[in-house]
Amino acid sequence: MIIAILDDFLDEFVATMLTSTGIIMCEQAKINTLSSAQPGIREGVAVVMVGSFAPVHKGHFDAVHAASTALAGQGNLVESVVLTPNSAEYVERKLPEDHGEWTYERRIHEILGRSPHPHIPTYVDDVSGRLARHEQINGYVPVTMRRYLGFTACQTYLVVGSDQLLSMESHLENERNRAVCVLRPGSLDYARDRLDLPWIAAAVEEGRFVITERENMKTDISSTAVRRSLVAG
């Protein structure tokens, strides 16, 4: 009971100051929908993670936190964190039938029920997945980020895990695009064996691609493992 009361108190705690670390201390006590956001003139950057989020879990938040910390460490002002669920059509194709029902609405609802990044305004993108449907969602993210939050492509960093490292090659072919790869404990060797690929080395040198590790490298968690556990009861 005491722990629950303390958690509630911390979730509602308000802090308004700009720190020297490049991370904004915000007043947000919950995650908001992107469609309810107010665009503005942005001087900093946004951290955007695209995924199925079926279900969302601590590892997702660890990754966006690590990405935010890495970007702030390079002198970027991190203004927003956004979780972008893939479309219903994508998840229906991806997941086995026996892994439960993970509708778009359910995944949005579960993300809204989580605690936001402690220091950065956090949103769930409830727009891009509805627009993308059967298409690749990454092409819609820059459009929605500009429309609803005011970030340009150059200010939007896509966050991927090390298992998705190679998927960023086509994304980074556009010199305006940016990305962060957060290495996971289970795929460190896979990622490190590929970091010397010419397109990766060039993007890292140009500052368009940032490679970092999760802050908690002792445990690894995946949505697949969580789903299996839920199905098994």
Side-chain angles (χ1 to χ4, degrees):
M1 177 65 72
I2 294 176
I3 294 176
I5 293 173
L6 287 174
D7 284 343
D8 289 341
F9 172 78
L10 291 173
D11 283 344
E12 296 298 327
F13 181 75
V14 175
T16 39
M17 61 175 288
L18 183 62
T19 72
S20 59
T21 62
I23 293 179
I24 288 184
M25 303 293 290
C26 69
E27 298 181 357
Q28 187 179 0
K30 64 178 183 179
I31 295 176
N32 291 319
T33 58
L34 189 64
S35 60
S36 68
Q38 296 296 321
I41 299 175
R42 305 292 183 175
E43 297 181 356
V45 301
V47 171
V48 182
M49 171 172 269
V50 175
S52 297
F53 301 111
V56 64
H57 54 70
K58 186 177 183 296
H60 295 129
F61 289 92
D62 285 349
V64 295
H65 192 283
S68 301
T69 301
L71 290 171
Q74 293 187 352
N76 295 285
L77 174 65
V78 184
E79 293 192 58
S80 296
V81 166
V82 181
L83 303 180
T84 299
N86 276 306
S87 67
E89 290 81 359
Y90 175 89
V91 172
E92 287 173 3
R93 293 197 309 269
K94 177 183 176 181
L95 300 186
E97 293 182 0
D98 61 351
H99 275 217
E101 294 292 330
W102 295 97
T103 65
Y104 188 72
E105 291 73 19
R106 175 183 178 181
R107 290 177 286 128
I108 292 287
H109 178 75
E110 291 194 357
I111 294 173
L112 286 172
R114 301 297 293 260
S115 297
H117 189 289
H119 306 310
I120 307 175
T122 308
Y123 302 89
V124 56
D125 180 354
D126 57 334
V127 179
S128 297
R130 299 184 197 278
L131 295 174
R133 304 194 67 182
H134 294 283
E135 297 180 66
Q136 172 55 252
I137 196 171
N138 287 358
Y140 287 86
V141 170
V143 178
T144 54
M145 289 298 295
R146 187 179 188 101
R147 177 178 178 183
Y148 291 95
L149 286 177
F151 290 101
T152 66
C154 292
Q155 296 173 293
T156 301
Y157 283 80
L158 286 187
V159 179
V160 297
S162 41
D163 55 330
Q164 296 295 316
L165 175 66
L166 299 184
S167 71
M168 287 294 97
E169 182 174 9
S170 59
H171 178 70
L172 292 170
E173 285 178 354
N174 185 332
E175 294 184 356
R176 291 177 56 81
N177 290 341
R178 307 286 187 267
V180 180
C181 179
V182 180
L183 305 182
R184 290 172 51 184
S187 51
L188 284 176
D189 291 339
Y190 170 86
R192 287 170 177 165
D193 289 344
R194 290 160 176 78
L195 293 182
D196 59 351
L197 290 173
W199 68 269
I200 294 179
V204 170
E205 179 68 22
E206 295 164 0
R208 298 189 301 112
F209 198 17
V210 178
I211 311 293
T212 189
E213 294 184 359
R214 275 179 36 183
E215 295 180 354
N216 181 5
M217 295 295 287
K218 294 182 179 180
T219 59
D220 196 13
I221 183 172
S222 70
S223 292
T224 300
V226 175
R227 287 195 304 273
R228 288 172 178 166
S229 177
L230 290 172
V231 171

